[in-house]
Amino acid sequence: MASVSYHIANLLEKMTSSDKDFRFMATNDLMAELQKDSIKLDDESERKVVKMLLKLLEDKNGEVQNLAVKCLGPLVNKVKEFQVETIVDTLCTNMISDKEQLRDISSIGLKTVISELPPAPTLLATSICKKITGRLTAAIAKQEDVSVQLEALDILGDLLSRFGGLLINFHPSIQHALLPQLSSARLAVRKRSIIALGYLVMSCNNSLFIDLIEFLLTELSKNSSTSTTRTYIQCIGAISRQAGHRVGEHLDKIIPLIVKFCRIEDDELREYCIQAFESFVRRCPKEISGYINSIVDICLEYICYDPNYNYDEEDDDEGMEANGDDDDEGESDDEYSDDDDMSWKVRRASAKCLDAIISTRHEMLMDFYRTVSPAIIARFKEREENVKADIFHAYISLLRQTRPTVSADPDAMEQGEGPVNLLQVQIPSIVRAVHKQLREKSIKTRQGCFSLLTELIQVLPGALADHISVLIPGIIFSLGDKNSSSNMKIDTLAFLNCLLSNHQPFVFHPHVPIIVKPIVSAVGDQFYKITSEALLVTQQLVKVIRPLDVVCSFDFTPYVQALYQSTLFRLRAADIDQEVKERAIACMGQIISNLGDSLQSELSTCLPIFLERLRNEITRLTTVKSLTLIAASPLKIDLRPVLGEAIPILASFLRKNHRALKLSTLTCLDVLVRNYGAMMTDIVKEAMISDIMKELPPLINETDLHISQLTMNLLTSLSQIDRASMNHIQTGILPQIMELIRSPLLQGGALNSMLEFFQALVATATPRLGFKELLEMMTKPIYEPQQFSSSPSHSSLALHKQAFYSISRCFAVLTVGQISGAGQAIVEKLIYDVKKSGQDSIKLFGLLTLGEIGKKVDIDSSGELLKVIVGSFSSHNEEVKSAASYALGNVSVGNLPKYLPFVLNEIETQPKRQYLLLHSLKEIISCESVSASTISHIQPYIENIWTILFHHAECAEEGTRNVVAECLGKLTLLAPIELLPKLKENLSSPSALTRSTVVTAVKFTISDQPQAIDSLLRGSIGDFLHTIQDPDLNVRRVALVAFNSAAHNKPSLIRDLLNKILPHLYEETKVRKELIREVEMGPFKHTVDDGLDIRKAAFECMYTLLDSCLDRIDIFDFLNHVEDGLKDHYDIKMLTYLMLVRLSHLCPSAVLQRVDRLLDPLRSTCTTKVKANSVKQEFEKQEELKRSAMRAVASLLAIPDADKSPLMNEFMSQIKSNVELSALFESIQKDVASTPSETSLMDTH
């Protein structure tokens, strides 16, 4: 402490020196000391330092003054409170000094002090803010010196933006001081007053806010001068931008006034009026709804408002347009042709306002295409560059709004009057308006045109097919124009790439001669970004001039050398940018793949370069992908010269710890083996296969099923080109495969690739790996379980349930191939094992395998099989019963006339086995609905099945009813025209159980793929969903589940019904006291909520609607119910937290209006403590709730301007002051980027 005090005293002494350099260096050293965290000053040193720095603010040397001001920042957090007050007092006094330089430096000092105060409300911050505010308010009210007023307003704005909530007592006096300044003679004073008022309204109370609005409305009504009217409208706009959620309720009074002022002949006033409309549209989305059409009309009128210019001449004479460009050549972006003409500001404000309306009103898309779109297209001719950029942006926003419609509703294309069809009709007008401008000198205009056309292609791929000839000259102009900037060329190439990749190749063929030259020239450009983009275009162009997937008569040969040589130059260069290297490799791969037969003599030059790039760690992945492309080419490019070196390198990649490289390498090796294996000499082939196979064993395991799948595909290909290679798999590879087959994770693609491999392996007739040996290896874990320990300890089975399914499928696929020979004996042994074995594992395996075999061939010639399967229905083991049900269904598929009548008869006569038999029936229907030919097999039985299913639709067991419903749904898909009306008839059944079965059945008719039933469902889904109003609780629940399924898989079915359904859906989110009951469990009373399941179903529907039908929802009504859900049961809270995260991304402005109401329940969750004597699960539940609530808070905080809410700031301070919550919040903020799970779709049950 003593040494610090001594050092500080030394510096202070030097600060009094007459030499300005001494003073400067001493102040600089003091700055360095104050920035150290470890420094601690005693009271005397504090006093002296503060006194000296305040004195140096009046130093004659400006540099010393500036350093002294900078020292105040770190000093504020190092000295005691009363010293900070001294600093602030002095600075405030200096603020109203006569010396201008002292005033300026003091105002900078005050801003520095304010910025350094801690953001959390502390006593110091509160005290300082109050001290400054009083002085500033007085300085503002004092009218004499405008410069003092300006500085005071500036500082007050800073203070209110950071600490508005601490100054609540001062708000009335601040507002009282600010309002008169709105009519100040100086525009700068008015402007800063508006900024300060904007910050004030974020934290002031409601009565003060109402006073402010009333004052502005009164003044506007007086309209004493146009100048002040402009200011008041600007002020309303600023208030709306900062606190839109509070302005909403006053819009009914505000809008008519502003509409009236739009008609006054004053361009600036009009601009401010339209800017105010824009802020209302963005910040008060609900309240502005009734005025949207009027605002659109005003904007459409004023977007054309250009009284000093006649566009007709320009339309008539293109030559004049070209000459007109020369006049504007020397103008910068911010200069305009006529200094007195302010009409461009009105047009720009109109374009921006339309942009805001289009971006926020998705539900009006159809109207926009009818009225707004033609008007904006007509204004593409706008003469002012900046206004034109905003007009283009407005149209791009319209296209972006259309994109979700195209993806969410694939039927939109079929509807005669959808937005997509309206856009299609307007494409010729768009191209006509844009194509001339592609040759303008203005770079900004051309970039705007390309952005717009790119967006158009992404919304409607292929849309410009009829207009390519009109667009190509503009593209060539931008690529060849010497005045084009690098960015202009890059944008042009990016557009050309988009154009080439989203249209049919033949539409470009007439233009290839003129396109190739500028692209080749761009590949040779000195700027690497242009080269990189040009290589992408070249790659796409190669696919266009010679598409390999369609027959094409275009003569591509004249262009091959030019494209090849330009790419080869870039491929050879070693000292170029990484991105260019990778794109040159990819482009050359495409050239050889598509044009290789015309480059035979060049391959000896080019392919060795690929080997070099393969050895380079940075370029190897791209090279592997390019080699795969070349090897897969139908042109059969001769790669033999490089395969000898390439394959060992590729094989070595399989041991690298780089997943993407492994995946690409396995695919590449598979293609090489299949396409080139047969061409190689035996010696080369043997060496190649040996290199590959020694790397494969570690790749086959359950930790990465995709890699396992590709490895087995490669093994299958190897077995087909060299049978002898399979002799080597017994030691390393086969044990790994046999271990994988026992994995509970094996399924899907990996299991299918294993089936193919086993079939290929048997076909090789490798010694000791024949049909019987493989079957024995597969079944060893089942028949000799003591040697293996793969099953869960509590299970009576030898392996996990999924492993039985995997082994039975592999076993069956081999047996079916040998069914006419050794396979028959295997089937008989399996039947015997099921009948006689005392082990559940052997029975389970036998039944599953018999089912798999029986699906393909009829194996029950003696009738023994049926008895064995039916006998297994009586097993004590549930898994064996389930397997017997599965087996019966599958065996029936193999011989439908024999087994299906038996199954249907059993369902009727065996009530105890009904559930299992219905599962068998479900299996039959599923297998027979695969194709038209299989449907014809089951067609004669449909009516009989339907009748039997409805006999059991009223079953008391919910599990049985669900299986009946699934069967009914799948059956309806087979004959929708006949069966859907029958299903609908049963909605009026007096039995609630039947109604619930029927509604559940409808759920199974809805899938995410197009189906024949879709058009019929669209007409009748409303009747099925009407059951949301059913008097029975369970029927309402299943109706919600069906609704959720429709919203998730096929939103187009329910979009138009939402107006009727949503009120009933919201009704089901409410807690109903009559459904809550108390159950006595021994000495304890337990509360049971029978309405919880239906509430959960309702909230799940709400979540799904956010993704598929957001444009049809009144978001504020929706938020009311989300708010209720935040106070509900644990499961529902978790759902609503997820919804909040989604809503924060999808409609931030609406959520911001409600943020204060949403924070209360979140805060109570985060601060709730579990009772000390609670069970472990309670603690875990509460932790999970806290984490999810915190994730929701993090999403709310990410909304722009959410940090300006006083409640949010208070909550954040509370989090930061609590060690546990603070750590949790930090970890969540880090996770948010890497775990986007909250935005993923929920499963639909």
Side-chain angles (χ1 to χ4, degrees), residues 250 368 393 457 748 806 919 970 973 1047:
H250 304 282
F368 293 152
H393 195 275
I457 294 168
S806 303
H919 266 288
K970 290 185 173 177
L973 288 173

Side-chain angles (χ1 to χ4, degrees), residues 756-769:
E756 285 170 25
F757 170 66
F758 279 133
Q759 285 172 292
L761 183 57
V762 169
T764 63
T766 305
R768 300 197 308 282
L769 292 177

Side-chain angles (χ1 to χ4, degrees), residues 33 153 223 287 487 648-649 733 742 753 817 916 961 986 1006 1036 1098 1100 1237:
E33 286 296 323
L153 285 165
N223 189 18
E287 294 84 354
N487 283 347
I649 299 170
I733 293 172
R742 301 196 299 271
S753 66
L916 294 168
R961 285 203 312 278
N986 285 283
I1006 303 165
R1036 294 203 302 276
E1100 280 171 9
S1237 58

Side-chain angles (χ1 to χ4, degrees), residues 301-314:
E301 179 184 342
Y302 287 115
I303 200 171
C304 307
Y305 174 69
D306 198 355
N308 303 321
Y309 194 79
N310 186 355
Y311 285 91
D312 295 339
E313 292 172 20
E314 184 181 0

